Amino acid sequence: MTSHRRPEGGSAIDRDDTVGFTVDGRQYFGLAGDTLAAALLANGVRVMGRSFKYHRPRGVVAIGVDEPNALFTVTTDGVREPNVRATEIEVFDGLAVESQNRWPSLDNDLMAVNQLGGKALAAGFYYKTFMGPVIGPLKGTRFWMMCEHVIRRAAGLGRPGTARDESRYERINAFCDLLVVGGGLAGLHTALEASEAGKRVIVCELEPRWGGGADGKKESEIRQIVDSLESKPDVTLLNRTTVWGWYDGNTLAATERITDHLRTAPEGAPRHRHWVIRTGHVALATGALERPIVFPGNDRPGVMLADAGHRYAETFGVLPGQHLTVLTNNDSAYQAAAALRHVGANIRAIIDVRPEIGAGAQRLADRAGGALKLGHAVVGTSGAKGLKTISVARYNHQTKSFSGGSEQIETDCLLVSGGWSPVVHLASQAGAQPIWDEALQAFLPPDPDKHWSVHGAAAGDLDFGHDLSPAPAPVFEIRHPGKAFVDFQHDVTADDVRLAHQEGFRSVEHLKRYTTLGMATDQGKTSNIAGLAIMADALKMPIPEVGTTRFRPPYTAASLGAIAAERYGDLFPHRLTPMHDWHTDHGARMYAAGHWERPESYNRTGETVEQAYVCEAKIVRQGVGLVDVSTLGKIDIAGPDAAEFLNRVYTNGFAKLPVNKARYGLMLREDGFAMDDGTTWRLAKNRFLMTTTTANAGKVMSHLELCLDVHWPDLRVHVTSVTDQWAGAAIAGPKSREVLASCVTGTAVDNDALPFMGIVHGTISGVPVMICRLSFSGELAYEVYCGAHHGTHVWEALMTAGKPFAIAPYGLEALGTLRIEKGHVTAAEIDGRTTARDLHLDWMLSSKKPFVGSAMMDREGLTDKSRWTLVGVVSRSGEKLHGGAHVVAGDRDEPGASLGHLTAMAFSPEMNAYVGLALIEDGESRIGQHLYAADPVRSQTHIPIEIVSHHMVDPKGERMHG
Amino acid sequence: MIIACPFCGPRDLSEFTYCGDADNLAARPDPAATDQAAWNAYVYDRTNPAGEHAEIWQHSGGCRKFLRVVRSTVTHEIESAEMVGPKA
Ligand SMILES: [Zn+2]
């Protein structure tokens, strides 16, 4: 194959540094500085991809981020990164890539039969064939499920791998006065001006090199500005960095590619770095992208954007072809033709849809040589695996009509220019609606505000040089028989767009979704305007009235690795109680309860969780057990108005609670529903210790703070979270008092000194403790609190003191069993939908004072008799119940509607049965009824149950008061 | 979004918790009153304006103070952030 590399030119390449790389295992050589696209062009490779639906051979069209065709999968150490544009892959020694969407090879793709089907995969194919109701066996969603794997294989892009990506990624926060997006001349000048005014500036350029699309003659000017910016301490220059998202508050997201272009990464260097840049002002200098013209056969390899062809020669010293032709509707392509002629290309013809051109273009046409065909258009192309000839016919672009016969011109590269589109994506993301410019036939960013400005070509300031006009003729499509592609990457043709219109799609957003135009990985960078123009033509409306779609982040594919950076793996916070190590040392299975790790049960060898917790619960009911309750939320409430404050947030009275007494309290939300419960201890006249459920500790804390700061700033109260300061252990069972009596010094613990809900202060094994007699289990029980650092010491002292009484630790499961038997509620019942009445806690609703929720709790809907209320449930068949099961009236064949659900279940050793708590419709009146617990989805069980009072064990509370 | 906490300085949104409409919270009916219409309005009715909106935010990941933040619901621009509470 002849080399397409010219002996001179190529500002980016190092001619002395040859690098070897492979495509599908085949060895190629390029030069350091080449992109993969440039190196493949230099090797004479024309087919660089297969199209999405039809598997048509495709060549490279562009030179930058707008490339729709030449996509490859980069394979590094077994990790696959699919859909990377060849125009952005920098070659290095050892680079390995795979071509995509072809089988068995890029050159001979058997899937190309897809294109013979022609109409089969036209717009809306998926919707029409697969969506909607199932009519017959071969239609609808079910059919889609059957065909999906076949179609997905035939139509698609690259395939990701399953290997774990071992690369390191980084995130960084940056702050500046000015962020310049785009390191072309306009951006660099803006940055220099701002830095000279003393501003902190960050400049991001997505290409490796500075200068953007600037003419090669500007090279020294660019070098000079970059040198000057580099010398300034408050300027950060980031190349290979794509700013892809603009979010609220002038926060922008960018990805810096640090090692992708290197054979060996420097030690410790991350692969990508995700930048979160907060800036006072954004200067958009994002340039403009040349757009193609839609015509039959416009996707044949060898058809390329004119400016891309020009820049391949200038930047990489590569000619895109030997015998070039040009198709244009504007002056800029004449520059490309003249420049390519200058480096030795043979320009066969320039075909311009316009009937006449200005003096500047004429002069360049003379320089370029070849036939100048004004008022002509390309109406077809041929060549099996690349362009061989084009058909040209006389064309009147105003009437869109052809005259005379067509002429064949041999050419291996057709350079196309359909005008230029300023890159408005970022401005659009920020909410600025682009404005149609009739002269440029393009959308421009609207007038900037104080947060941003726009510079250079991005502002529509297209300067092609002396005597050249930036205004194109309004020609987006040359309509002639044949497949003419609008969106190369998604294989959307001009006829697909018209079909969508015929089928009634009017809005551009619907058009996009129906045809998938502009929805591929290139997000329609080359196709949006043409698609819009064809739609506008079909609607007989001007383009701006059809509108443009709003762009959303990211501008180009963003690296998820970089966004996640170090934040992957097990990052779930674990809170451990002071006695954690003791539990794990003693066989506890730990269980995640919110952020906390709590012992589920203490299993002996070979014991199941159920065997263990049933045994633990028995020990508590018959002897004595010890459980870690350090996870309860604990809030210190202090100040002269502390009692008044509690009176307002709890439903029951706290003002008269004596010192060294505790009270069970219930809180409601403002809307009258139950929020949380717990005990609050009065430690001194103006000091209380509030406990909350483990689950709601944070919520209750914020609620109290809001009440104090927002509603009652006059109350002199401080609230402080002390959850982590106290270790807590509950000792429960008929023998608990005897255990305490044997180890507590400094206070008596008998019924007189320590009655139900009483508090005493003493010491255990030398450590000061606070003991409150209260019970969650329903047994005689005490909560023993000490400083967190002494938690294990006190716990061990209690275990030692309990040894003669056969004390055993118990876990969450046994705790759950005990409270279910007693009908005590937790967060499973206080689920945000239940009221105090639903939970039989209405005895706690004071009528003597207002409190949070008091005004709303008696609303009609909250007092309705049919509401779900708390009941107990006993399995009648001996089968195990399942939490979350529905309670229904009928048997398995005709279960009937759900009456409610089980909130908790356990095996009750006291009742020798599986029992549970449930919230069911009009629960009170159903006590004694025989119903079913139905769990048709998870356990397929349908268990006969009896509804009982939620007080299943010791309903009068004699044990805990004893 | 950045909120300038009077105590902690300008901090990222992720440190704050939204607590509701400031004007609504300020209009909490007399707790002793059981005027259902007034309470209903307080608990459920919101103006949902497009534009300037006064809100209560807690600096939950910082000083835990409550701030009255005036924010545009259209642009998310923050006009002011002032402390509320006993020392305001
Ligand atoms: Zn703060």
Side-chain angles (χ1 to χ4, degrees), chain A residues 248 251 278 450-451 670-671 673 698 701-702 705-706 708-713 718 850-852 854-856 859, chain B residues 1-2 12 19 25 28 31-34 36 39-40 42-44 56 58 64-66 75-77 84-86:
Chain A
D248 296 336
T251 305
R278 299 184 186 282
K450 60 183 175 174
H451 297 303
E670 291 274 31
D671 62 6
F673 287 86
M701 183 69 192
S702 297
E705 288 171 327
L706 179 90
L708 283 173
D709 277 4
V710 178
H711 296 323
W712 311 313
H718 270 295
F851 49 86
V852 173
S854 60
M856 293 293 272
R859 285 182 287 159
Chain B
M1 214 161 95
I2 288 182
D12 188 78
C19 300
L25 283 167
R28 186 171 190 261
T34 48
Q36 281 300 301
W39 276 98
N40 215 63
Y42 168 66
V43 172
Y44 295 110
I56 298 292
Q58 185 182 23
R64 294 195 69 84
K65 283 293 168 193
F66 291 82
T75 63
H76 293 187
E77 208 162 328
V84 295

Side-chain angles (χ1 to χ4, degrees), chain A residues 602-624:
Chain A
Y602 298 81
N603 298 25
R604 282 176 297 217
T605 320
E607 217 175 30
T608 65
V609 173
E610 185 170 296
Q611 285 165 340
Y613 84 70
V614 168
C615 177
E616 288 166 18
K618 263 188 210 163
I619 290 171
V620 174
R621 292 265 184 252
Q622 289 159 16
V624 58

Side-chain angles (χ1 to χ4, degrees), chain A residues 537-672:
Chain A
D537 184 55
L539 289 166
K540 299 194 172 36
M541 272 163 68
I543 289 174
E545 278 177 40
V546 178
T548 181
T549 57
R550 173 154 181 199
F551 293 103
R552 298 184 196 283
Y555 172 61
T556 58
S559 153
L560 290 178
I563 294 169
E566 70 290 344
R567 298 175 302 182
Y568 66 93
D570 181 15
L571 299 176
F572 196 73
H574 296 281
R575 294 179 76 181
L576 307 181
T577 75
M579 290 83 98
H580 180 84
D581 291 347
W582 191 96
H583 303 316
T584 54
D585 288 348
H586 289 76
R589 279 169 56 109
M590 301 307 283
Y591 177 86
H595 291 167
W596 289 98
E597 282 200 18
R598 304 183 70 178
E600 183 178 34
S601 58
Y602 298 81
N603 298 25
R604 282 176 297 217
T605 320
E607 217 175 30
T608 65
V609 173
E610 185 170 296
Q611 285 165 340
Y613 84 70
V614 168
C615 177
E616 288 166 18
K618 263 188 210 163
I619 290 171
V620 174
R621 292 265 184 252
Q622 289 159 16
V624 58
L626 192 64
V627 65
D628 187 348
V629 294
S630 306
T631 61
L632 291 178
K634 293 177 279 290
I635 301 169
D636 180 271
I637 297 168
D641 297 321
E644 167 63 18
F645 175 57
L646 290 171
N647 237 16
R648 294 186 192 183
V649 295
Y650 274 132
T651 63
N652 44 339
F654 274 76
K656 290 182 189 134
L657 180 68
V659 172
N660 285 331
K661 275 290 219 180
R663 184 163 288 169
Y664 175 59
L666 175 71
M667 280 181 210
L668 307 186
R669 303 189 309 220
E670 291 274 31
D671 62 6

Side-chain angles (χ1 to χ4, degrees), chain B residues 4-9 11 15-16 59-65 67:
Chain B
C5 173
F7 283 106
C8 314
R11 306 297 304 173
E15 293 182 4
F16 295 85
H59 194 187
S60 44
C63 61
R64 294 195 69 84
K65 283 293 168 193
L67 311 178

Side-chain angles (χ1 to χ4, degrees), chain A residues 71-92:
Chain A
L71 304 183
F72 289 83
T73 298
V74 180
T75 57
T76 317
D77 305 327
V79 176
R80 304 169 59 83
E81 186 178 7
N83 311 328
V84 190
R85 286 173 285 273
T87 50
E88 293 190 288
I89 301 169
E90 296 175 62
V91 297
F92 55 84

